[in-house]
Amino acid sequence: MVSGEVARVEGVAGRPQGSVRGAATRALILETAMASFRDQGYDRTTMRGIAQQAGVSVGNAYHYFGSKEELVQEFYAAIQDGHRRRAAQVLSRRDFTDRLRGVLHAGIDEMAPYHSFAGSFVKVAISPSSPSSPFSSESAAARAAAVGLFRDVVDGSDKRPGPLAQELPELLWLAYLGITLFWVYDTSPNQARTRRLVDSTARLASRLVSLSRLPGTRALTDDVRALLADLRHPEAQAAGLTGRPAR
């Protein structure tokens, strides 16, 4: 780097972090927001309150994050980064079931510190129009990172995914979303029920992938593709532009 030049880094929402000091301020605001979400819930947390608790001006807080929703997106990105780091070791294995099980457990491990207030995020993200929805355009970067991790699970494994090779990473991500929702409401000690669900899901997914390679499963794979097309483009599906006709 040229002497005297200040590096600038883009945040998830495209807002500049600026200098090292600016990056530290940005991290402080995010940390303060997470604490507020935990202690007060999402609805009662405000940008003004976050700024006051972080010891910065409201204008400075908005300089780094334009809204609470942008803070949530930054949180999603941090979770994805941590998830990938935790999953690195298990991805050195070849067995598909082991890889998938390890990646799913790594996700739960990464989210564990936030279990006490995860429900407040679900209440916001569950709305179809919410920017915090995992299916929203605002969540595209975090969604792509998550699907990419499951693509790595598939691509580096010893199991040939067969006709669902392209769709399998997204299907695994959707299964992970279901596990995450179960985890949010799991009150068992250390969310032990979720851990058992992860193990069962990994075994079941491995068996289903094997079954998808058998002759005579073309209709099943076509239905899966139609389902994913509907999830990606619900308006087109409603107009009859995607998917398969009912048999």
Side-chain angles (χ1 to χ4, degrees):
M1 180 179 294
V2 178
S3 177
E5 182 182 355
V6 177
R8 298 189 68 81
V9 182
E10 293 289 327
V12 170
R15 293 179 179 271
Q17 288 185 240
S19 63
V20 173
R21 181 178 178 181
T25 301
R26 196 173 196 274
L28 173 62
I29 293 170
L30 179 61
E31 181 181 351
T32 302
M34 292 304 103
S36 182
F37 290 150
R38 180 190 63 229
D39 298 338
Q40 302 184 55
Y42 181 87
D43 291 337
R44 294 179 60 190
T45 295
T46 65
M47 291 295 289
R48 181 175 296 277
I50 292 169
Q52 290 175 345
Q53 293 173 45
V56 302
S57 69
V58 176
N60 204 15
Y62 275 110
H63 171 72
Y64 292 105
F65 300 99
S67 64
K68 286 196 298 182
E69 288 77 14
E70 286 189 13
L71 281 161
V72 172
Q73 293 301 331
E74 189 76 7
F75 175 66
Y76 286 169
I79 289 291
Q80 288 303 325
D81 288 345
H83 189 178
R84 178 166 283 280
R85 286 194 298 271
R86 287 179 184 270
Q89 183 175 0
V90 74
L91 288 177
S92 65
R93 305 172 190 170
R94 291 282 294 161
D95 182 77
F96 175 83
T97 306
D98 285 347
R99 288 166 71 88
L100 179 57
R101 181 191 297 114
V103 166
L104 293 173
H105 277 300
I108 300 302
D109 290 340
E110 183 64 23
M111 294 187 297
Y114 311 106
H115 186 264
S116 62
F117 68 102
S120 64
F121 282 122
V122 170
K123 292 176 184 177
V124 176
I126 204 71
S127 171
S129 60
S130 171
S132 300
S133 165
F135 300 100
S136 71
S137 58
E138 291 85 352
S139 298
R143 182 168 62 250
V147 174
L149 180 56
F150 288 107
R151 183 169 291 108
D152 289 347
V153 170
V154 176
D155 290 347
S157 77
D158 59 358
K159 185 178 289 290
R160 293 182 296 107
L164 286 177
Q166 291 297 114
E167 292 81 8
L168 186 55
E170 192 169 356
L171 288 170
L172 295 175
W173 172 69
L174 289 171
Y176 177 59
L177 285 184
I179 290 171
T180 300
L181 185 61
F182 186 89
W183 168 81
V184 168
Y185 295 103
D186 183 2
T187 57
S188 62
N190 298 316
Q191 289 70 60
R193 294 177 62 207
T194 301
R195 300 294 185 171
R196 292 195 295 272
L197 178 61
V198 163
D199 293 339
S200 298
T201 298
R203 290 193 300 269
L204 178 61
S206 182
R207 291 168 183 165
L208 290 176
V209 170
S210 297
L211 287 173
S212 72
R213 300 199 305 266
L214 296 177
T217 60
R218 173 66 183 273
L220 172 62
T221 56
D222 285 348
D223 284 340
V224 169
R225 291 191 180 101
L227 172 62
L228 288 177
D230 190 15
L231 289 173
R232 296 187 192 109
H233 307 289
E235 298 84 1
Q237 178 68 15
L241 301 178
T242 63
R244 303 175 63 226
R247 294 189 300 272

Short mmCIF file of all heavy atoms in Angstrom, two decimals, residues 23-50:
data_model
loop_
_atom_site.label_atom_id
_atom_site.label_comp_id
_atom_site.label_asym_id
_atom_site.label_seq_id
_atom_site.Cartn_x
_atom_site.Cartn_y
_atom_site.Cartn_z
N ALA A 23 -13.34 1.24 10.99
CA ALA A 23 -13.73 -0.16 11.08
C ALA A 23 -14.01 -0.55 12.53
O ALA A 23 -14.94 -1.32 12.81
CB ALA A 23 -12.63 -1.05 10.50
N ALA A 24 -13.23 0.00 13.46
CA ALA A 24 -13.44 -0.29 14.88
C ALA A 24 -14.77 0.30 15.34
O ALA A 24 -15.50 -0.34 16.12
CB ALA A 24 -12.29 0.26 15.70
N THR A 25 -15.08 1.50 14.88
CA THR A 25 -16.36 2.12 15.24
C THR A 25 -17.52 1.30 14.69
O THR A 25 -18.53 1.08 15.37
CB THR A 25 -16.44 3.56 14.68
OG1 THR A 25 -15.37 4.32 15.21
CG2 THR A 25 -17.76 4.21 15.06
N ARG A 26 -17.37 0.86 13.47
CA ARG A 26 -18.41 0.04 12.84
C ARG A 26 -18.64 -1.25 13.63
O ARG A 26 -19.77 -1.67 13.87
CB ARG A 26 -17.98 -0.29 11.41
CG ARG A 26 -19.07 -0.80 10.50
CD ARG A 26 -18.55 -0.92 9.08
NE ARG A 26 -19.64 -1.06 8.14
CZ ARG A 26 -20.20 -2.20 7.82
NH1 ARG A 26 -19.77 -3.32 8.40
NH2 ARG A 26 -21.20 -2.26 6.95
N ALA A 27 -17.53 -1.90 14.03
CA ALA A 27 -17.64 -3.13 14.81
C ALA A 27 -18.28 -2.87 16.16
O ALA A 27 -19.07 -3.68 16.65
CB ALA A 27 -16.25 -3.74 14.99
N LEU A 28 -17.96 -1.73 16.78
CA LEU A 28 -18.55 -1.37 18.06
C LEU A 28 -20.06 -1.19 17.94
O LEU A 28 -20.83 -1.65 18.80
CB LEU A 28 -17.91 -0.09 18.60
CG LEU A 28 -18.55 0.51 19.86
CD1 LEU A 28 -18.44 -0.46 21.03
CD2 LEU A 28 -17.89 1.85 20.20
N ILE A 29 -20.50 -0.52 16.89
CA ILE A 29 -21.93 -0.30 16.67
C ILE A 29 -22.63 -1.64 16.49
O ILE A 29 -23.70 -1.88 17.07
CB ILE A 29 -22.15 0.61 15.45
CG1 ILE A 29 -21.63 2.02 15.73
CG2 ILE A 29 -23.64 0.66 15.09
CD1 ILE A 29 -21.60 2.92 14.53
N LEU A 30 -22.04 -2.54 15.71
CA LEU A 30 -22.65 -3.85 15.49
C LEU A 30 -22.71 -4.64 16.79
O LEU A 30 -23.75 -5.24 17.12
CB LEU A 30 -21.84 -4.63 14.45
CG LEU A 30 -22.35 -6.04 14.13
CD1 LEU A 30 -23.76 -6.01 13.57
CD2 LEU A 30 -21.40 -6.73 13.16
N GLU A 31 -21.64 -4.64 17.56
CA GLU A 31 -21.62 -5.36 18.84
C GLU A 31 -22.68 -4.80 19.80
O GLU A 31 -23.37 -5.55 20.49
CB GLU A 31 -20.23 -5.25 19.46
CG GLU A 31 -20.09 -5.98 20.79
CD GLU A 31 -18.70 -5.83 21.39
OE1 GLU A 31 -17.81 -5.29 20.70
OE2 GLU A 31 -18.52 -6.23 22.55
N THR A 32 -22.79 -3.47 19.82
CA THR A 32 -23.79 -2.84 20.69
C THR A 32 -25.20 -3.21 20.25
O THR A 32 -26.08 -3.46 21.08
CB THR A 32 -23.62 -1.31 20.64
OG1 THR A 32 -22.29 -0.97 21.04
CG2 THR A 32 -24.60 -0.63 21.58
N ALA A 33 -25.42 -3.24 18.95
CA ALA A 33 -26.74 -3.61 18.43
C ALA A 33 -27.09 -5.04 18.82
O ALA A 33 -28.23 -5.32 19.24
CB ALA A 33 -26.77 -3.45 16.92
N MET A 34 -26.14 -5.96 18.71
CA MET A 34 -26.41 -7.35 19.07
C MET A 34 -26.77 -7.48 20.55
O MET A 34 -27.67 -8.23 20.93
CB MET A 34 -25.19 -8.22 18.75
CG MET A 34 -24.89 -8.38 17.27
SD MET A 34 -26.26 -9.04 16.30
CE MET A 34 -26.85 -7.53 15.50
N ALA A 35 -26.07 -6.71 21.38
CA ALA A 35 -26.37 -6.73 22.82
C ALA A 35 -27.77 -6.18 23.08
O ALA A 35 -28.52 -6.69 23.92
CB ALA A 35 -25.33 -5.93 23.59
N SER A 36 -28.13 -5.14 22.34
CA SER A 36 -29.46 -4.55 22.50
C SER A 36 -30.55 -5.50 22.03
O SER A 36 -31.60 -5.64 22.66
CB SER A 36 -29.55 -3.23 21.74
OG SER A 36 -30.81 -2.62 21.93
N PHE A 37 -30.31 -6.18 20.90
CA PHE A 37 -31.27 -7.16 20.41
C PHE A 37 -31.48 -8.26 21.46
O PHE A 37 -32.60 -8.71 21.70
CB PHE A 37 -30.77 -7.80 19.11
CG PHE A 37 -30.78 -6.88 17.92
CD1 PHE A 37 -29.85 -7.05 16.91
CD2 PHE A 37 -31.72 -5.86 17.81
CE1 PHE A 37 -29.85 -6.21 15.80
CE2 PHE A 37 -31.72 -5.02 16.70
CZ PHE A 37 -30.79 -5.20 15.70
N ARG A 38 -30.39 -8.66 22.10
CA ARG A 38 -30.45 -9.72 23.11
C ARG A 38 -31.21 -9.26 24.34
O ARG A 38 -32.05 -9.99 24.88
CB ARG A 38 -29.04 -10.15 23.49
CG ARG A 38 -28.99 -11.26 24.54
CD ARG A 38 -27.57 -11.46 25.05
NE ARG A 38 -27.09 -10.26 25.73
CZ ARG A 38 -25.92 -9.69 25.48
NH1 ARG A 38 -25.11 -10.17 24.54
NH2 ARG A 38 -25.54 -8.60 26.14
N ASP A 39 -30.92 -8.04 24.81
CA ASP A 39 -31.47 -7.57 26.08
C ASP A 39 -32.86 -6.96 25.95
O ASP A 39 -33.68 -7.07 26.87
CB ASP A 39 -30.53 -6.53 26.71
CG ASP A 39 -29.15 -7.11 27.02
OD1 ASP A 39 -29.05 -8.35 27.17
OD2 ASP A 39 -28.19 -6.33 27.11
N GLN A 40 -33.14 -6.30 24.82
CA GLN A 40 -34.40 -5.59 24.67
C GLN A 40 -35.32 -6.17 23.59
O GLN A 40 -36.50 -5.82 23.54
CB GLN A 40 -34.13 -4.12 24.33
CG GLN A 40 -33.30 -3.38 25.36
CD GLN A 40 -33.15 -1.92 25.02
OE1 GLN A 40 -34.13 -1.19 24.83
NE2 GLN A 40 -31.91 -1.46 24.91
N GLY A 41 -34.77 -7.03 22.73
CA GLY A 41 -35.54 -7.54 21.62
C GLY A 41 -35.40 -6.63 20.41
O GLY A 41 -35.00 -5.47 20.52
N TYR A 42 -35.75 -7.15 19.27
CA TYR A 42 -35.57 -6.40 18.02
C TYR A 42 -36.47 -5.17 17.98
O TYR A 42 -36.02 -4.07 17.63
CB TYR A 42 -35.88 -7.31 16.83
CG TYR A 42 -35.69 -6.64 15.49
CD1 TYR A 42 -34.46 -6.63 14.87
CD2 TYR A 42 -36.76 -6.00 14.85
CE1 TYR A 42 -34.27 -6.02 13.64
CE2 TYR A 42 -36.59 -5.39 13.62
CZ TYR A 42 -35.34 -5.39 13.03
OH TYR A 42 -35.17 -4.77 11.82
N ASP A 43 -37.73 -5.31 18.32
CA ASP A 43 -38.69 -4.21 18.19
C ASP A 43 -38.32 -3.01 19.04
O ASP A 43 -38.49 -1.85 18.63
CB ASP A 43 -40.11 -4.68 18.53
CG ASP A 43 -40.66 -5.65 17.50
OD1 ASP A 43 -40.17 -5.61 16.34
OD2 ASP A 43 -41.56 -6.44 17.84
N ARG A 44 -37.82 -3.23 20.26
CA ARG A 44 -37.53 -2.13 21.17
C ARG A 44 -36.15 -1.52 20.93
O ARG A 44 -35.83 -0.48 21.49
CB ARG A 44 -37.63 -2.64 22.61
CG ARG A 44 -39.05 -3.05 23.03
CD ARG A 44 -39.07 -3.56 24.45
NE ARG A 44 -38.63 -2.54 25.40
CZ ARG A 44 -38.37 -2.77 26.69
NH1 ARG A 44 -38.50 -4.00 27.16
NH2 ARG A 44 -37.98 -1.80 27.49
N THR A 45 -35.36 -2.15 20.10
CA THR A 45 -34.05 -1.60 19.77
C THR A 45 -34.20 -0.52 18.70
O THR A 45 -34.88 -0.72 17.70
CB THR A 45 -33.11 -2.70 19.26
OG1 THR A 45 -32.87 -3.64 20.31
CG2 THR A 45 -31.78 -2.13 18.79
N THR A 46 -33.56 0.62 18.92
CA THR A 46 -33.61 1.71 17.95
C THR A 46 -32.19 2.14 17.59
O THR A 46 -31.24 1.91 18.34
CB THR A 46 -34.36 2.93 18.52
OG1 THR A 46 -33.60 3.46 19.64
CG2 THR A 46 -35.76 2.56 18.98
N MET A 47 -32.05 2.76 16.43
CA MET A 47 -30.74 3.26 16.02
C MET A 47 -30.24 4.32 17.00
O MET A 47 -29.05 4.39 17.31
CB MET A 47 -30.82 3.82 14.61
CG MET A 47 -31.03 2.77 13.53
SD MET A 47 -29.64 1.61 13.37
CE MET A 47 -28.38 2.67 12.65
N ARG A 48 -31.16 5.16 17.50
CA ARG A 48 -30.77 6.18 18.48
C ARG A 48 -30.24 5.52 19.76
O ARG A 48 -29.22 5.94 20.32
CB ARG A 48 -31.96 7.09 18.80
CG ARG A 48 -31.63 8.21 19.80
CD ARG A 48 -32.82 9.15 19.97
NE ARG A 48 -33.10 9.85 18.73
CZ ARG A 48 -32.45 10.94 18.33
NH1 ARG A 48 -31.49 11.46 19.06
NH2 ARG A 48 -32.77 11.51 17.18
N GLY A 49 -30.95 4.49 20.21
CA GLY A 49 -30.51 3.80 21.42
C GLY A 49 -29.17 3.11 21.22
O GLY A 49 -28.31 3.12 22.12
N ILE A 50 -28.98 2.52 20.04
CA ILE A 50 -27.69 1.88 19.74
C ILE A 50 -26.57 2.90 19.78
O ILE A 50 -25.50 2.67 20.36
CB ILE A 50 -27.76 1.18 18.37
CG1 ILE A 50 -28.72 -0.02 18.42
CG2 ILE A 50 -26.36 0.73 17.93
CD1 ILE A 50 -29.04 -0.61 17.06
#
